[in-house]
Structures are given as structure tokens and as C-alpha cells.
Amino acid sequence: MPIRQYSQLLTGPSLLYVEGDDHKRHRKIMTPAFGGSQLKALVPVFFEAAASITKKWKDILSVSEDQSEVLNVPTWASRATFDALGHGAFGYDFGAIENQDSDLSRAYKNLLTDMYAAPTDGMIIENALYEYLPLKVVSWMLEYTPNAKIARGRTTRDMATDVARRMILAKSEDLAELEGNKDLISLLVKANMLETARNRLSEKELVAQILILFLGGLESTANSLSWTLLELCRQPEIQTKLRQEIHAKERELAREGRTEFTAEDFDNLPYLIAVVKESLRYHPVLIHILKMAMENDCIPLSQPIKTEDGKQIDQIPVRKGQKVFVSVPAFNRSKVIFGEDAHVFKPERWLDKSKANKGPSIGMYANLLTFSTGVQSCLGWRFAVLELQAFLVELISNFEFTLTPECENIRKEYSRVVVPTLEGELSKGAQCPLRVRCTKMSDR
Ligand code: HEM
């Protein structure tokens, strides 16, 4: 699949599309907004989005007969991550949880599944041809093809572009307000203003960075949360252990006269950290990373391998221009690195630091490949980890999740991100129906 061309279609000249010096220039301006302290300050924003789910779910459960209800978790996760991104990244209230018909959140809901899942034969052939055509020609074709799946992407991009332009204009007009604001767009606009004219991002490039946050920051985190909750239902004892840790911490905070968790409190919740790491290891939502060799080179191997003709090699030669697909699950579930039980969801593996990961130091987080590695690694990994931690604390504290009979039919659909869908119901998009009930006050 011509990933770069599709990235350009959905985001314009964003980090995901530009290369070389342009990539360095974009990344330099984007990076300050993604620093540890900036993102830690967003934890209350993540809790606010998670708390609005709690409020909605409690309203739904209060009128149900047995105080429990089957809820499609990805729908809610997608709306909550939309609001978290809106407040945290843009200082903007999309109201996705309150108003599920918010145009933009509806447009992004299931966008990647609608565009990429179950491609028709025609699309498979078209995509294969795109690989041989010049980038400009493919971009032109994607811009004008009547194909409904591609048109769906264009409409969403155009709606988001309008919103992004208005946000940038508002931020750029009010310089005094910009000073005090800590949301990512304010930091981005400020960093851009401080750059020399030569290095500054154009308005089109700034808009593209906002579009990449919509694309990169929504379905990835929402689906990661859904997969995590599914695993916590498959192994209820892990869910109970996590809840006990969270409730114990809540009691500790209450003794200190506090009600809200901070990022530092997460550091003292080892089982929460272990669950998040294990979920990101076991269910990486981006499973392929595409790289291209810029010159003739050799990829060194950590262990020698035998080729089909019986030769032992310790490096793989690549030609200039050759494309290499890196498989994230192959690394994340490697028995050499994670041990014989690498195929089992087991947060406990992270509790003993000496055993956690015997592999090379490679990724951004927990030495996993989930957020990729190197100059094009995920810029939003801290955002995603803190968001997942906050959502899990809020939801596991307030609700018990159990499997429903439909969970037997959950399958992984690859549509640029790995989405839970139900067998035979792909057209309904992401589905992970879990039974939800309130936790007992006596458990707290
Ligand atoms: C669990 C959630 C997430 C996962 C698994 C994830 C994973 C990744 C991966 C694997 C890449 C590299 C893609 C490639 O090279 O083809 C990437 C890039 C990127 N991600 Fe994430 N991501 C997540 C959440 C986020 C969030 C929340 C944001 C922003 C708020 C974000 C922003 C970005 C950006 C800007 C890039 C492009 C970086 C560059 O090219 O320099 N991501 N992400």
C-alpha cells in the first residue's frame, strides 16, 4: 500500500509525508510541544475526558434493569480520545462525548476502517500500480478519483482543514493568550514564530501537523484502550488486581486530602504501568513500519540466521531504494526477547526489571517497537501512554468489565491500525461489546 501517498492525501505536507531536511525542520518545531513536562500537565485533561464517559455510563446503567449494560467500547473510546485531543492538543472543545453527532468526530469515527478495511480487488490492483507511478501522479489520482473510500478520506480531511485553519488563526491573533496557553497547538504556533523565516512552517504545513494529530492521535489510542479492556475481561484476575491497586491509591490520596491523580502518582502504580506496557507489547495497533534504504547498505542481525541455500549470515544486504517492512509484532512477541511465554498476555513480566526485556535497547517506550524507533518514531508516545493510564484508572476504578458472547467473534482487522471488529460485521466498523457494571462502593 502506498503509505506516503495516502498520508499526503489525509494530512498534506505533515511529518508523515515529508522527508530528509524538511522532516528535520518540521520535527524540530513540533518537538517542544511533546516534552515530558508539557504532557504531564495534560493529565487532568485526560481525566476530564475519561470522567465524562463515567458520567454517561452511570446514567445509562442507572436506568437498566440489572444495573449493567452491553456497551461498544471502541465507540466511547473514540469519542473520549477525540475530546482529550481537543482539549489537550488544541485547547478546543469538540464535545464529542456530550454530543455524539459532532460533525468532525463523526467523520473521524471508523475513518481508517472505512477507507482501508477489506479492499476490493480493484483497489488492490490500483494500490499495486501506485507503487510504480511518480508520487505527483498518484497524489493527483487520489485527489480526483470518484472511489467512495478515497472520497470519504478527502471529505474528512477538508472538514479537519477548516477547523485547523480556524484554530491557527485564533492562536496567531491572540499573542498574549498564546503566552499562557499550554496546549500543543499554542506551543507549536509559538515555536514556529520563534524560528527563522527560512525554517518556519508555512500555514499549509502547520495545518498538516494538526491533521496528523487527528490521524495519529485518535484511532491508535482508542483502539489500544479497547484491546486493553478486552484483555482485562479475558483474564478477570488481572482486572481485579489492577482495580485493587487503583482503589488503594485512591484511599492514599484521600488521606492526603487529594482527589485527583497526577502523572507522578502513575509512577507509583507498578501494576498499572505493567498492564499498559503489556498491552502495548501484545496489541501494537500499528503493525508495519515501512522503511526505504537511502543507499546500498547492510542490516546487521542480532543473531546469525540460515538462508534457504544453507548459508549462515549475520547481516542482510539492502539496495538503495529497496523497501523494508518492519513487523512490530515479530519483535514484540519474540521468544528470544520476551521468553517462551511471549505469546501470553502477562503484565507480571514487567514487574521484575531484570527479566522484563532481554532484547536490544530499541524503542521509545519499554524497549518495544510499538512506537517505532529512530528519527521518525512516534512523537506522541508520552501523550498516548499518559492518556491510556488516566483512562484505565478512571474506568477500572468505576466499572467492572466482563466478556459478552459476541466477544468470541472478535477479530483483528488491519486498516492501517489494528481494529477489533466482529466476524461478518465489518461494515459496522470497530466493535468490542463488553458488559459494564458499576464497581461496588464496598470494594473501595
Ligand atoms: C497507542 C498509541 C500510538 C501508537 C501505537 C503510535 C505509533 C506510531 C508509530 C509506529 C509511528 C511511526 C509511523 C511510521 O514510521 O510509519 C508513529 C508516528 C507518529 N505519531 Fe504515533 N502512535 C500513537 C499515538 C500517537 C499520539 C497520541 C500522537 C499525537 C498526539 C501521535 C503522533 C505521531 C506523529 C506526529 C508521528 C509522526 C512522527 C514523524 O514522522 O516524525 N501518535 N506513531
Side-chain angles (χ1 to χ4, degrees):
M1 183 189 292
I3 291 176
R4 254 190 101 211
Q5 288 86 336
Y6 277 108
S7 300
Q8 201 228 8
L9 170 79
L10 292 175
T11 64
S14 72
L15 267 177
L16 269 187
Y17 175 72
V18 294
E19 287 182 330
D21 286 344
D22 271 339
H23 184 267
K24 270 192 211 148
R25 181 170 60 89
H26 286 215
R27 185 128 179 156
K28 184 171 170 235
I29 292 171
M30 289 281 275
T31 300
F34 288 89
S37 55
Q38 278 82 352
L39 294 180
K40 281 181 181 177
L42 294 184
V43 167
V45 170
F46 299 147
F47 269 110
E48 201 183 312
S52 37
I53 303 191
T54 300
K55 189 173 167 299
K56 283 274 172 192
W57 284 4
K58 285 192 172 167
D59 288 349
I60 295 172
L61 297 182
S62 66
V63 292
S64 79
E65 242 170 53
D66 66 347
Q67 307 285 295
S68 89
E69 198 61 68
V70 174
L71 298 170
N72 186 31
V73 168
T75 307
W76 290 93
S78 146
R79 286 160 62 186
T81 48
F82 210 86
D83 279 349
L85 191 78
H87 285 286
F90 309 141
Y92 196 87
D93 184 9
F94 289 115
I97 293 183
E98 283 308 318
N99 163 23
Q100 57 169 310
D101 292 328
S102 139
D103 286 347
L104 197 59
S105 72
R106 208 176 41 199
Y108 270 100
K109 188 176 147 204
N110 287 323
L111 172 68
L112 297 180
T113 332
D114 290 350
M115 283 185 74
Y116 301 115
T120 58
D121 289 352
M123 275 189 88
I124 293 172
I125 296 170
E126 227 173 87
N127 283 338
L129 284 176
Y130 287 163
E131 295 287 349
Y132 298 96
L133 296 174
L135 199 57
K136 275 194 177 158
V137 176
V138 179
S139 298
W140 185 86
M141 288 170 79
L142 289 176
E143 205 49 57
Y144 295 103
T145 173
N147 180 311
K149 287 179 177 238
I150 307 295
R152 162 96 166 83
R154 285 197 304 258
T155 312
T156 307
R157 175 204 61 195
D158 292 344
M159 284 169 76
T161 301
D162 267 358
V163 173
R165 280 214 183 100
R166 272 187 271 130
M167 286 194 290
I168 291 173
L169 194 67
K171 305 273 177 201
S172 315
E173 271 173 357
D174 195 343
L175 292 182
E177 196 198 328
L178 196 61
E179 238 356 271
N181 279 358
K182 292 279 176 247
D183 64 86
L184 304 191
I185 298 306
S186 297
L187 294 167
L188 176 62
V189 171
K190 199 166 120 193
N192 200 36
M193 282 176 174
L194 294 175
E195 265 304 333
T196 58
R198 193 163 162 264
N199 288 339
R200 214 167 282 158
L201 299 183
S202 65
E203 196 224 15
K204 195 173 173 189
E205 289 170 332
L206 268 179
V207 167
Q209 311 313 332
I210 297 184
L211 265 53
I212 200 190
L213 297 183
F214 280 127
L215 193 67
L218 291 174
E219 292 210 31
S220 53
T221 322
N223 285 301
S224 292
L225 180 65
S226 302
W227 288 117
T228 312
L229 292 174
L230 180 63
E231 284 311 325
L232 296 182
C233 291
R234 285 178 174 156
Q235 296 192 58
E237 62 289 355
I238 298 180
Q239 190 182 147
T240 305
K241 196 169 162 186
L242 177 60
R243 185 171 298 110
Q244 283 167 350
E245 184 186 71
I246 294 168
H247 283 170
K249 189 75 189 168
E250 283 171 348
R251 288 194 293 272
E252 194 185 312
L253 294 193
R255 281 195 296 277
E256 292 168 12
R258 293 197 286 141
T259 50
E260 288 180 1
F261 281 72
T262 62
E264 286 68 32
D265 292 319
F266 294 156
D267 294 341
N268 295 315
L269 292 171
Y271 203 61
L272 172 73
I273 295 174
V275 167
V276 170
K277 282 183 180 168
E278 184 64 350
S279 179
L280 291 170
R281 179 190 77 85
Y282 197 73
H283 285 294
V285 289
L286 269 88
I287 52 174
H288 296 140
I289 299 166
L290 180 62
K291 299 280 175 200
M292 189 168 77
M294 301 309 280
E295 51 193 64
N296 292 340
D297 206 343
C298 282
I299 303 175
L301 299 172
S302 60
Q303 293 192 341
I305 53 167
K306 226 179 213 171
T307 60
E308 276 185 355
D309 55 7
K311 256 206 265 164
Q312 182 109 329
I313 55 168
D314 57 11
Q315 50 183 14
I316 300 177
V318 282
R319 287 184 317 276
K320 180 177 176 179
Q322 191 169 348
K323 287 177 185 158
V324 179
F325 260 105
V326 182
S327 164
V328 178
F331 180 87
N332 281 7
R333 292 201 190 187
S334 158
K335 287 188 177 172
V336 175
I337 298 168
F338 293 98
E340 283 304 308
D341 60 358
H343 59 288
V344 180
F345 182 87
K346 188 178 164 195
E348 279 69 16
R349 76 177 73 248
W350 298 99
L351 297 177
D352 181 349
K353 280 198 179 119
S354 63
K355 287 193 197 148
N357 181 340
K358 302 186 204 84
S361 176
I362 192 166
M364 308 302 297
Y365 177 68
N367 284 347
L368 296 171
L369 207 50
T370 308
F371 295 109
S372 188
T373 182
V375 288
Q376 286 175 327
S377 58
C378 179
L379 204 50
W381 71 267
R382 280 196 193 89
F383 191 108
V385 169
L386 288 167
E387 192 177 12
L388 281 173
Q389 289 174 331
F391 276 42
L392 281 176
V393 165
E394 173 73 19
L395 297 182
I396 296 297
S397 168
N398 285 289
F399 303 100
E400 269 174 35
F401 296 85
T402 42
L403 293 175
T404 58
E406 292 79 24
C407 291
E408 286 285 313
N409 300 328
I410 287 181
R411 54 186 288 280
K412 293 184 161 193
E413 180 64 31
Y414 178 63
S415 44
R416 294 285 300 272
V417 293
V418 181
V419 178
T421 56
L422 288 188
E423 187 74 52
E425 296 187 12
L426 191 56
S427 60
K428 293 189 182 165
Q431 288 198 79
C432 179
L434 300 180
R435 182 161 290 281
V436 181
R437 54 171 60 82
C438 289
T439 48
K440 298 186 203 84
M441 281 315 277
S442 55
D443 288 347
R444 298 205 161 188

